Each structure stands twice: as structure tokens, then as C-alpha cells.
Amino acid sequence: MQTAVYPGSFDPVTNGHLDIIERASRLYDRLVIGVLDNSSKSPVFSAAVRAEMLRDVTSHLENVEVDTFSGLLVDFASAKKAEVIVKGLRTVADFEYEFQMALLNKALNSHYETVFMMTDTKYSYISSSMVKEVAKYHGDLTGFVPQILIDRIREKF
Ligand code: COA
């Protein structure tokens, strides 16, 4: 059984993340979404709430689990008995940073392969920060985040 982890802040999860999750869940026997709990980004939603939102939008995917983690990604991957780290690439601008992180993770533990998946072009401009900005000014979040999360995100702002 091959297990992959898909890490991120997911503050909040977007349709771009969900696109990667759905596609990665078809490639691996088990996909564990890792929600970073000690982000330096000062998240708006607590890790528990971010994980809950992810569970709600992935409930149709039987081989997907969600958990929070703090510390190193390679240690989380090891605890989950994963062999692969999945990351999404939206544009070439993401590449340089992701390349560096993949090499760093490989140096920390050579057991893990990072697999990059291209985000669908229709989501390439979406980020969690953009979603928060739109929500802050009461803009329409339709198409950016899963429909069932819209009210929960709006309430926060
Ligand atoms: N669709 C839409 N948006 C996407 C996306 C996709 N497919 N993929 C990424 N994004 C967005 C994210 O929402 C995020 O937006 P934001 O900056 O507005 O919050 C941005 O792109 C960056 O995403 P990512 O590179 O995945 O960063 P992250 O902050 O979500 O997660 C970790 C980073 C958790 C993977 C990384 O910090 C980590 O592994 N930390 C653990 C500590 C560690 O091991 N460090 C050593 C290795 S670097």
C-alpha cells in the first residue's frame, strides 16, 4: 500500500487544494492531508478548524485522512508511514521555492520523494491569502472555495 502526504497551511482550503487532493487520491492508496499547526503565517483559522473544514470537503474520498502536525514534514510523513510528499504547483513562481523545499526534505530524509502536481489552470491564481482578502471585503467566494465552506469563512470576517 502506497501512502502519500499532502501538507500545507490550508488557511482555508481552496478549490485549488481540493483539485490536487482529488487527483492525488486517485494515484495513491492512501492520502494523508497534513495541516501545519505552527505556521509562521499567523493563521486566521485554528489548525483544528482548518482540519475540520478539510474533513468536510473530502468526506466523499474514502482513502483520504486529515491530521494536524507541528515540527518537520519528514517526521510527520514518517509517522504516517508515507513514501511520497505531494505538492501542488500553480505557476513557475511556485517552482523555485518548492524545488528548494523538496531538496531540503530529501536532505533531511532521503526516503521521501516529492511529487509535484500541476494545479488545474482554472485555479492557478487562487491562494488562501486571496480568499481571505476577498472575504474581508465581503466579496463573492463562489468558485474559490468549496460551496459548503462559504458561510463558515464569511462568519470569521
Ligand atoms: N491551489 C490553490 N492554492 C494553493 C495550491 C493549490 N493547488 N497550492 C498551494 N497553494 C497556496 C496556499 O494556499 C498558500 O497560500 P498562502 O500563501 O496565501 O497561504 C501558498 O500557495 C503556498 O502554499 P505552500 O507552499 O503549500 O505553503 P503552505 O504554507 O500552505 O505550507 C508547508 C507549507 C506546510 C508545506 C511547509 O511549511 C512545511 O513543510 N512545513 C513543515 C516544517 C518543515 O518541515 N520545514 C522544512 C521543509 S521546508
Side-chain angles (χ1 to χ4, degrees), residues 4-111:
V5 295
Y6 177 47
S9 303
F10 305 108
D11 186 41
V13 56
T14 68
N15 282 339
H17 294 128
L18 193 55
D19 167 55
I20 299 285
I21 292 166
E22 285 175 341
R23 286 160 50 208
S25 75
R26 292 197 287 272
L27 293 178
Y28 299 101
D29 301 309
R30 177 172 163 250
L31 180 70
V32 183
I33 304 172
V35 180
L36 185 65
D37 194 7
N38 59 348
S39 176
S40 54
K41 287 180 170 178
S42 307
V44 166
F45 298 94
S46 70
V49 169
R50 285 179 273 142
E52 187 184 289
M53 289 196 279
L54 275 155
R55 281 188 199 105
D56 288 349
V57 300
T58 58
S59 59
H60 61 297
L61 302 169
E62 283 181 3
N63 62 339
V64 172
E65 302 165 24
V66 183
D67 207 348
T68 58
F69 77 103
S70 53
L72 291 177
L73 173 60
V74 287
D75 293 337
F76 177 71
S78 168
K80 294 296 174 185
K81 302 197 182 334
E83 299 90 37
V84 173
I85 295 166
V86 171
K87 295 298 311 265
L89 287 179
R90 291 166 300 169
T91 62
V92 284
D94 282 344
F95 180 76
E96 206 168 332
Y97 177 65
E98 292 296 345
F99 185 62
Q100 200 182 355
M101 282 220 284
L103 291 177
L104 179 60
N105 285 326
K106 193 87 181 158
L108 287 169
N109 190 328
S110 60
H111 178 69

Side-chain angles (χ1 to χ4, degrees), residues 13-16 122-123 125-126 130-131 134-135 138-151 153-154:
V13 56
T14 68
N15 282 339
K122 63 177 179 283
Y123 304 124
Y125 62 94
I126 300 177
M130 187 214 81
V131 165
V134 172
H138 312 292
D140 185 1
L141 293 175
T142 307
F144 302 150
V145 295
Q147 199 66 29
I148 58 167
L149 298 184
I150 289 182
D151 287 345
I153 295 170
R154 276 214 196 106

